[in-house]
Short mmCIF file of all heavy atoms in Angstrom, two decimals:
data_model
loop_
_atom_site.label_atom_id
_atom_site.label_comp_id
_atom_site.label_asym_id
_atom_site.label_seq_id
_atom_site.Cartn_x
_atom_site.Cartn_y
_atom_site.Cartn_z
N VAL F 247 49.29 -78.42 -36.25
CA VAL F 247 48.82 -79.79 -36.52
C VAL F 247 47.31 -79.85 -36.26
O VAL F 247 46.83 -79.45 -35.20
CB VAL F 247 49.57 -80.82 -35.67
CG1 VAL F 247 48.99 -82.21 -35.84
CG2 VAL F 247 51.04 -80.81 -36.03
N GLY F 248 46.57 -80.32 -37.26
CA GLY F 248 45.11 -80.42 -37.16
C GLY F 248 44.39 -79.16 -37.62
O GLY F 248 43.17 -79.15 -37.73
N LEU F 249 45.13 -78.11 -37.91
CA LEU F 249 44.54 -76.83 -38.30
C LEU F 249 44.16 -76.84 -39.78
O LEU F 249 44.84 -77.44 -40.61
CB LEU F 249 45.56 -75.71 -38.05
CG LEU F 249 45.07 -74.27 -38.17
CD1 LEU F 249 44.08 -73.96 -37.07
CD2 LEU F 249 46.24 -73.33 -38.09
N GLU F 250 43.05 -76.18 -40.12
CA GLU F 250 42.64 -76.00 -41.51
C GLU F 250 43.11 -74.62 -41.96
O GLU F 250 42.84 -73.62 -41.30
CB GLU F 250 41.12 -76.09 -41.65
CG GLU F 250 40.57 -77.45 -41.32
CD GLU F 250 39.05 -77.50 -41.37
OE1 GLU F 250 38.40 -76.45 -41.54
OE2 GLU F 250 38.50 -78.60 -41.24
N VAL F 251 43.83 -74.56 -43.09
CA VAL F 251 44.33 -73.30 -43.63
C VAL F 251 44.05 -73.24 -45.13
O VAL F 251 43.92 -74.27 -45.79
CB VAL F 251 45.84 -73.12 -43.38
CG1 VAL F 251 46.14 -72.94 -41.91
CG2 VAL F 251 46.64 -74.25 -43.96
N HIS F 252 43.95 -72.02 -45.64
CA HIS F 252 43.74 -71.84 -47.09
C HIS F 252 44.49 -70.63 -47.58
O HIS F 252 44.85 -69.75 -46.81
CB HIS F 252 42.24 -71.70 -47.41
CG HIS F 252 41.65 -70.41 -46.94
ND1 HIS F 252 41.25 -70.21 -45.64
CD2 HIS F 252 41.41 -69.24 -47.58
CE1 HIS F 252 40.77 -68.98 -45.51
NE2 HIS F 252 40.88 -68.36 -46.67
N GLN F 253 44.73 -70.60 -48.90
CA GLN F 253 45.35 -69.44 -49.52
C GLN F 253 44.28 -68.38 -49.71
O GLN F 253 43.18 -68.68 -50.19
CB GLN F 253 45.96 -69.81 -50.87
CG GLN F 253 47.10 -70.78 -50.79
CD GLN F 253 47.64 -71.14 -52.15
OE1 GLN F 253 47.30 -70.54 -53.16
NE2 GLN F 253 48.49 -72.15 -52.18
N THR F 254 44.58 -67.13 -49.38
CA THR F 254 43.57 -66.07 -49.48
C THR F 254 43.17 -65.81 -50.93
O THR F 254 42.06 -65.34 -51.19
CB THR F 254 44.08 -64.77 -48.85
OG1 THR F 254 45.31 -64.39 -49.47
CG2 THR F 254 44.27 -64.93 -47.35
N ARG F 255 44.01 -66.13 -51.89
CA ARG F 255 43.64 -65.91 -53.29
C ARG F 255 42.51 -66.83 -53.73
O ARG F 255 41.83 -66.54 -54.70
CB ARG F 255 44.87 -66.07 -54.20
CG ARG F 255 45.40 -67.48 -54.27
CD ARG F 255 46.74 -67.51 -54.99
NE ARG F 255 47.15 -68.90 -55.14
CZ ARG F 255 47.46 -69.46 -56.30
NH1 ARG F 255 47.42 -68.76 -57.40
NH2 ARG F 255 47.82 -70.72 -56.35
N TRP F 256 42.30 -67.94 -53.03
CA TRP F 256 41.18 -68.81 -53.36
C TRP F 256 39.86 -68.10 -53.12
O TRP F 256 38.89 -68.32 -53.85
CB TRP F 256 41.25 -70.11 -52.56
CG TRP F 256 42.44 -70.98 -52.88
CD1 TRP F 256 43.29 -70.85 -53.94
CD2 TRP F 256 42.90 -72.09 -52.13
NE1 TRP F 256 44.25 -71.83 -53.88
CE2 TRP F 256 44.04 -72.61 -52.78
CE3 TRP F 256 42.47 -72.70 -50.96
CZ2 TRP F 256 44.74 -73.71 -52.32
CZ3 TRP F 256 43.17 -73.80 -50.50
CH2 TRP F 256 44.29 -74.31 -51.17
N ASN F 257 39.78 -67.27 -52.09
CA ASN F 257 38.56 -66.50 -51.82
C ASN F 257 38.27 -65.55 -52.98
O ASN F 257 37.13 -65.42 -53.42
CB ASN F 257 38.69 -65.69 -50.54
CG ASN F 257 38.82 -66.55 -49.31
OD1 ASN F 257 38.48 -67.72 -49.32
ND2 ASN F 257 39.34 -65.98 -48.26
N GLU F 258 39.31 -64.88 -53.46
CA GLU F 258 39.14 -63.91 -54.54
C GLU F 258 38.73 -64.57 -55.84
O GLU F 258 38.09 -63.95 -56.68
CB GLU F 258 40.44 -63.13 -54.73
CG GLU F 258 40.79 -62.30 -53.51
CD GLU F 258 42.26 -61.92 -53.45
OE1 GLU F 258 43.00 -62.22 -54.41
OE2 GLU F 258 42.65 -61.31 -52.44
N ARG F 259 39.08 -65.82 -56.02
CA ARG F 259 38.72 -66.56 -57.23
C ARG F 259 37.43 -67.37 -57.06
O ARG F 259 37.13 -68.23 -57.89
CB ARG F 259 39.86 -67.47 -57.63
CG ARG F 259 41.10 -66.69 -58.00
CD ARG F 259 42.24 -67.57 -58.35
NE ARG F 259 43.40 -66.74 -58.66
CZ ARG F 259 44.50 -67.21 -59.20
NH1 ARG F 259 44.61 -68.49 -59.49
NH2 ARG F 259 45.51 -66.41 -59.45
N ASN F 260 36.72 -67.12 -55.96
CA ASN F 260 35.44 -67.79 -55.66
C ASN F 260 35.57 -69.31 -55.59
O ASN F 260 34.68 -70.04 -56.01
CB ASN F 260 34.36 -67.38 -56.66
CG ASN F 260 34.00 -65.92 -56.51
OD1 ASN F 260 34.01 -65.38 -55.41
ND2 ASN F 260 33.69 -65.28 -57.61
N ILE F 261 36.68 -69.78 -55.05
CA ILE F 261 36.87 -71.21 -54.81
C ILE F 261 36.45 -71.46 -53.37
O ILE F 261 37.10 -70.98 -52.44
CB ILE F 261 38.34 -71.61 -55.04
CG1 ILE F 261 38.72 -71.32 -56.49
CG2 ILE F 261 38.54 -73.08 -54.69
CD1 ILE F 261 40.20 -71.45 -56.77
N THR F 262 35.36 -72.17 -53.17
CA THR F 262 34.82 -72.36 -51.83
C THR F 262 35.17 -73.73 -51.26
O THR F 262 35.39 -74.68 -52.00
CB THR F 262 33.29 -72.20 -51.82
OG1 THR F 262 32.74 -73.16 -52.71
CG2 THR F 262 32.88 -70.83 -52.26
N ASN F 263 35.19 -73.80 -49.92
CA ASN F 263 35.35 -75.04 -49.18
C ASN F 263 36.62 -75.80 -49.56
O ASN F 263 36.62 -77.02 -49.63
CB ASN F 263 34.10 -75.93 -49.34
CG ASN F 263 33.96 -76.90 -48.21
OD1 ASN F 263 34.48 -76.70 -47.12
ND2 ASN F 263 33.26 -77.98 -48.46
N SER F 264 37.70 -75.07 -49.82
CA SER F 264 38.98 -75.69 -50.14
C SER F 264 39.98 -75.31 -49.05
O SER F 264 40.02 -74.17 -48.61
CB SER F 264 39.48 -75.21 -51.50
OG SER F 264 38.55 -75.58 -52.50
N TYR F 265 40.79 -76.28 -48.62
CA TYR F 265 41.71 -76.04 -47.51
C TYR F 265 42.70 -77.18 -47.38
O TYR F 265 42.51 -78.25 -47.96
CB TYR F 265 40.93 -75.88 -46.20
CG TYR F 265 40.02 -77.05 -45.88
CD1 TYR F 265 40.43 -78.07 -45.03
CD2 TYR F 265 38.75 -77.14 -46.44
CE1 TYR F 265 39.61 -79.15 -44.75
CE2 TYR F 265 37.92 -78.21 -46.16
CZ TYR F 265 38.36 -79.21 -45.33
OH TYR F 265 37.54 -80.29 -45.06
N TRP F 266 43.76 -76.94 -46.64
CA TRP F 266 44.72 -77.95 -46.25
C TRP F 266 44.50 -78.26 -44.78
O TRP F 266 44.32 -77.35 -43.98
CB TRP F 266 46.15 -77.44 -46.41
CG TRP F 266 46.64 -77.40 -47.82
CD1 TRP F 266 46.53 -76.36 -48.69
CD2 TRP F 266 47.35 -78.43 -48.52
NE1 TRP F 266 47.12 -76.68 -49.88
CE2 TRP F 266 47.63 -77.95 -49.80
CE3 TRP F 266 47.77 -79.70 -48.17
CZ2 TRP F 266 48.32 -78.70 -50.74
CZ3 TRP F 266 48.45 -80.45 -49.11
CH2 TRP F 266 48.72 -79.96 -50.38
N VAL F 267 44.56 -79.53 -44.40
CA VAL F 267 44.59 -79.93 -42.99
C VAL F 267 46.03 -80.29 -42.68
O VAL F 267 46.61 -81.19 -43.30
CB VAL F 267 43.65 -81.13 -42.72
CG1 VAL F 267 43.79 -81.59 -41.27
CG2 VAL F 267 42.22 -80.77 -43.02
N ILE F 268 46.63 -79.56 -41.77
CA ILE F 268 48.05 -79.72 -41.45
C ILE F 268 48.27 -80.98 -40.63
O ILE F 268 47.58 -81.22 -39.65
CB ILE F 268 48.57 -78.50 -40.66
CG1 ILE F 268 48.27 -77.20 -41.42
CG2 ILE F 268 50.05 -78.64 -40.37
CD1 ILE F 268 48.87 -77.11 -42.80
N THR F 269 49.25 -81.79 -41.06
CA THR F 269 49.55 -83.03 -40.34
C THR F 269 50.92 -82.98 -39.66
O THR F 269 51.17 -83.70 -38.70
CB THR F 269 49.51 -84.24 -41.28
OG1 THR F 269 50.40 -84.00 -42.37
CG2 THR F 269 48.10 -84.48 -41.79
N ARG F 270 51.82 -82.13 -40.18
CA ARG F 270 53.17 -82.06 -39.62
C ARG F 270 53.78 -80.72 -40.02
O ARG F 270 53.49 -80.20 -41.10
CB ARG F 270 53.99 -83.20 -40.19
CG ARG F 270 55.34 -83.40 -39.61
CD ARG F 270 55.96 -84.73 -40.02
NE ARG F 270 55.84 -85.04 -41.42
CZ ARG F 270 56.86 -85.42 -42.20
NH1 ARG F 270 58.06 -85.53 -41.70
NH2 ARG F 270 56.66 -85.70 -43.45
N SER F 271 54.63 -80.17 -39.17
CA SER F 271 55.30 -78.91 -39.52
C SER F 271 56.66 -78.83 -38.83
O SER F 271 56.86 -79.42 -37.77
CB SER F 271 54.44 -77.72 -39.12
OG SER F 271 54.21 -77.72 -37.73
N GLN F 272 57.59 -78.14 -39.48
CA GLN F 272 58.91 -77.86 -38.93
C GLN F 272 59.19 -76.39 -39.19
O GLN F 272 59.00 -75.92 -40.31
CB GLN F 272 60.00 -78.69 -39.62
CG GLN F 272 59.92 -80.15 -39.38
CD GLN F 272 61.01 -80.90 -40.17
OE1 GLN F 272 61.66 -80.34 -41.04
NE2 GLN F 272 61.17 -82.17 -39.86
N PHE F 273 59.64 -75.68 -38.18
CA PHE F 273 59.89 -74.25 -38.33
C PHE F 273 61.36 -73.93 -38.14
O PHE F 273 62.08 -74.62 -37.43
CB PHE F 273 59.09 -73.45 -37.30
CG PHE F 273 57.62 -73.70 -37.37
CD1 PHE F 273 56.96 -74.34 -36.34
CD2 PHE F 273 56.88 -73.31 -38.48
CE1 PHE F 273 55.60 -74.58 -36.41
CE2 PHE F 273 55.53 -73.54 -38.55
CZ PHE F 273 54.89 -74.17 -37.52
N LYS F 274 61.78 -72.84 -38.81
CA LYS F 274 63.10 -72.28 -38.57
C LYS F 274 62.98 -70.77 -38.72
O LYS F 274 61.95 -70.26 -39.15
CB LYS F 274 64.15 -72.86 -39.52
CG LYS F 274 63.86 -72.68 -40.99
CD LYS F 274 64.92 -73.39 -41.81
CE LYS F 274 64.64 -73.19 -43.30
NZ LYS F 274 65.65 -73.83 -44.12
N LEU F 275 64.00 -70.05 -38.31
CA LEU F 275 64.01 -68.59 -38.35
C LEU F 275 62.81 -68.00 -37.60
O LEU F 275 62.07 -67.17 -38.11
CB LEU F 275 64.05 -68.07 -39.79
CG LEU F 275 65.30 -68.46 -40.58
CD1 LEU F 275 65.18 -68.00 -42.01
CD2 LEU F 275 66.55 -67.90 -39.93
N GLN F 276 62.60 -68.48 -36.39
CA GLN F 276 61.55 -67.99 -35.48
C GLN F 276 60.14 -68.09 -36.09
O GLN F 276 59.30 -67.22 -35.91
CB GLN F 276 61.84 -66.56 -35.05
CG GLN F 276 63.14 -66.47 -34.29
CD GLN F 276 63.54 -65.04 -33.98
OE1 GLN F 276 62.99 -64.10 -34.54
NE2 GLN F 276 64.48 -64.90 -33.09
N GLY F 277 59.89 -69.16 -36.84
CA GLY F 277 58.54 -69.41 -37.36
C GLY F 277 58.19 -68.69 -38.65
O GLY F 277 57.04 -68.70 -39.06
#
Side-chain angles (χ1 to χ4, degrees):
V247 174
L249 190 67
E250 295 176 353
V251 293
H252 70 279
Q253 295 179 11
T254 57
R255 68 190 185 124
W256 295 347
N257 295 341
E258 296 160 5
R259 296 178 181 191
N260 293 326
I261 299 170
T262 59
N263 204 23
S264 298
Y265 56 96
W266 284 90
V267 175
I268 306 301
T269 56
R270 188 168 45 130
S271 61
Q272 293 177 349
F273 303 113
K274 58 184 181 179
L275 298 175
Q276 298 173 346

